């Protein structure tokens, strides 16, 4: 991947842009570029669904259940989980977002999943703005 970054200036710019996000380091950035090449071309709902972080309701008739995430690319979910764990420890707006969810009574895993979704949506928006 390092050789590709040296050869392609566009890929290098995308790599550096991803690293501006709290919790995203060199490993997360390279993994996202490799496993999620659609990043920056889709809208926020599509990219969250592709990453497996879109909430799907479990409802039938009058029964209203919890929303769950399902599907998506498993390797992307794993790397975003590690990015979310790091982002919640940094001094950034993402940490405030996570702590706000916890204060509102959300479970820690639900808050981490929401943080994962937020990271991938921010990454998508940053890379989309590079293209325009």
């Amino acid at each position: 991947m390092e050789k590709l970054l040296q050869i392609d200036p566009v890929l290098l710019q995308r790599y550096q842009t991803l690293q501006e996000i709290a919790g995203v380091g060199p490993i997360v950035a390279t993994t996202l570029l490799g496993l999620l090449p659609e990043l920056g071309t889709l809208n926020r709902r599509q990219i969250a669904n592709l990453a497996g972080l879109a909430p799907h309701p479990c409802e039938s008739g009058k029964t209203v259940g919890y929303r769950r995430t399902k599907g998506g690319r498993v390797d992307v979910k794993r790397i975003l989980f590690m990015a979310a764990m790091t982002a919640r420890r940094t001094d950034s707006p993402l940490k405030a977002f996570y702590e706000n969810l916890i204060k509102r009574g959300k479970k820690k895993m639900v808050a981490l999943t929401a943080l994962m979704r937020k990271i991938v949506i921010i990454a998508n928006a940053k890379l989309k703005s590079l293209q325009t």
Side-chain angles (χ1 to χ4, degrees):
M1 190 66 180
E2 290 176 6
K3 290 180 182 178
L4 287 174
L5 290 173
Q6 292 172 356
I7 295 169
D8 190 3
V10 174
L11 190 62
L12 180 63
Q13 187 179 19
R14 290 169 56 97
Y15 173 77
Q16 291 170 343
T17 302
L18 284 176
Q19 285 192 342
E20 294 172 1
I21 303 168
V24 177
I27 295 173
V28 175
T30 54
T31 306
L32 284 177
L33 288 173
L35 296 179
L36 207 57
E38 300 88 356
L39 206 58
T41 59
L42 304 174
N43 66 35
R44 63 188 177 92
R45 289 184 180 95
Q46 290 171 330
I47 200 70
N49 203 10
L50 192 58
L53 298 169
H56 296 280
C58 297
E59 298 174 354
S60 177
K62 293 183 180 181
T63 305
V64 178
Y66 288 112
R67 289 177 168 79
R68 292 178 172 32
T69 60
K70 60 182 177 181
R73 298 182 182 166
V74 177
D75 295 331
V76 173
K77 280 174 98 169
R78 288 181 184 148
I79 202 75
L80 284 171
F81 179 79
M82 295 309 295
M85 292 287 287
T86 304
R88 74 185 175 113
R89 292 188 184 112
T90 62
D91 187 28
S92 68
L94 292 175
K95 178 181 181 179
F97 174 75
Y98 174 79
E99 289 177 349
N100 187 23
L101 289 174
I102 297 296
K103 285 179 187 174
R104 289 181 13 211
K106 301 292 183 188
K107 296 177 183 176
K108 288 184 179 181
M109 195 62 204
V110 172
L112 270 176
T113 305
L115 191 57
M116 291 163 54
R117 177 182 163 92
K118 189 135 187 123
I119 289 171
V120 78
I121 288 173
I122 290 171
N124 187 53
K126 281 184 172 270
L127 292 182
K128 190 178 281 190
S129 68
L130 276 180
Q131 294 176 353
T132 58

